[in-house]
Amino acid sequence: MTRLKTEDICHIKASLEKYNRDLIAKTGATLGQIAAYAAETREEKVCRNFKVAVIPLTCGRGIIEGFTQTVASITGFLGFNSFVTKNTDAGGVAEAVEKGAEILMMADDDKFVAINRVTGRVSDNGEATGRGYAAALDLMTGGLRNRNVLILGAGPVGKGAALALARLGAKISVYDVEPGCSNRLAEEVREKTGITVRIEEKLDRALLVNKIIYDATPTPSFIHKKHITPDTFIAAPGIPLGVDGEALPEVAGRLLHDPLEIGVATMIYDVCRQA
Ligand code: 2YC
């Protein structure tokens, strides 16, 4: 799992309005509508009366300056009454409950979760990001049913993506630098959805053949201009961006990439949607 840096996220709060307009231009949907689609609900069925507390955790490699504030700014942008607790760790959890927050969000080095302590619903950032970007890609391409999609990276985000893309009817191939990971992802998708995932073993060939690419890897700059055509669409939740500087202008209008927004939006809609 890639650990964010302050410089990856410090711009987010100030540019949420612009980012939302960018999403509408690319997908026809706002951040909230994408999250609602990913959470299999509708905007009007999401309960915004829930109060959201984001709790800084000092364990492991410790606090990322700006992380909890950025998460709270995203849920605030979506209309939820949100705050960052003054206390960290257990004290922060206690403060959140004392201040009447129904939704607790917190991240250590391994897991970033949203918990609805009223309904018991829980959402994991890796899986939610995978599903959120699959929903956005479905909207951006005009529908993925029977379309070939190449997933790069068989980690938590890639797996969340594969399960969501299978449900959307896509024909999925997967490439991972560790073939064992690809096999495990394919096995899990077959068990849960009955869909067969093709395993790609040659990255360059896979990138040249596939027009719809889902980059869930932490590898920078491995997608080059020669891989991009006017029909190429890329969903890139992976940090840092896999598309290199020369390829970026060729696909910018058909590329989805953000360090937190779509994942956090999907998490909060997951745990606040009404039954
Ligand atoms: O500031 C804090 O509370 C830190 N404990 C937060 C650590 C987050 C570590 N995880 C990540 O940087 C990324 C996030 C996008 C979520 C998953 N990995």
Side-chain angles (χ1 to χ4, degrees), residues 48-262:
R48 279 182 186 69
N49 302 333
F50 285 135
K51 198 175 193 182
V52 180
V54 190
I55 301 141
L57 300 185
T58 63
C59 50
R61 296 175 62 184
I63 282 173
I64 298 173
E65 187 54 45
F67 176 78
T68 47
Q69 293 84 350
T70 299
V71 171
S73 73
I74 296 166
T75 55
F77 175 77
L78 293 169
F80 295 86
N81 178 359
S82 310
F83 69 101
V84 175
T85 59
K86 291 180 177 54
N87 294 286
T88 65
D89 307 304
V93 172
E95 179 188 339
V97 173
E98 284 160 357
K99 288 182 177 175
E102 290 85 1
I103 313 295
L104 310 184
M105 298 182 80
M106 63 196 91
D108 59 25
D109 292 351
D110 305 308
K111 285 282 178 191
F112 173 20
V113 294
I115 297 160
N116 184 326
R117 69 185 181 84
V118 174
T119 64
R121 282 191 198 283
V122 175
S123 181
D124 169 82
N125 175 263
E127 190 277 330
T129 299
R131 186 161 27 93
Y133 268 84
L137 187 60
D138 192 52
L139 294 167
M140 182 165 72
T141 57
L144 289 171
R145 185 160 296 286
N146 297 326
R147 306 270 296 271
N148 293 313
V149 181
L150 170 65
I151 297 177
L152 304 169
V157 174
K159 194 186 307 176
L163 292 167
L165 290 167
R167 279 198 296 275
L168 288 163
K171 296 193 286 188
I172 305 166
S173 308
V174 63
Y175 170 85
D176 192 287
V177 68
E178 285 287 321
C181 291
S182 300
N183 291 321
R184 277 193 295 280
L185 179 147
E187 199 41 52
E188 187 163 342
V189 172
R190 187 181 13 256
E191 274 163 22
K192 289 186 176 172
T193 69
I195 302 276
T196 300
V197 170
R198 243 169 60 82
I199 309 277
E200 285 284 358
E201 279 154 8
K202 291 184 174 49
L203 176 59
D204 197 54
R205 178 194 166 281
L207 284 170
L208 288 168
V209 164
N210 285 277
K211 300 287 171 258
I212 304 175
I213 297 166
Y214 190 112
D215 173 20
T217 75
T219 314
S221 308
F222 68 95
I223 300 176
H224 307 305
K225 193 171 176 182
K226 69 174 182 176
H227 298 129
I228 308 295
T229 73
D231 308 326
T232 302
F233 291 94
I234 302 180
I239 297 278
L241 183 59
V243 179
D244 77 10
E246 220 187 40
L248 191 51
E250 306 296 319
V251 70
R254 304 183 306 280
L255 166 68
L256 298 167
H257 175 64
D258 70 45
L260 270 177
E261 294 91 324
I262 288 176

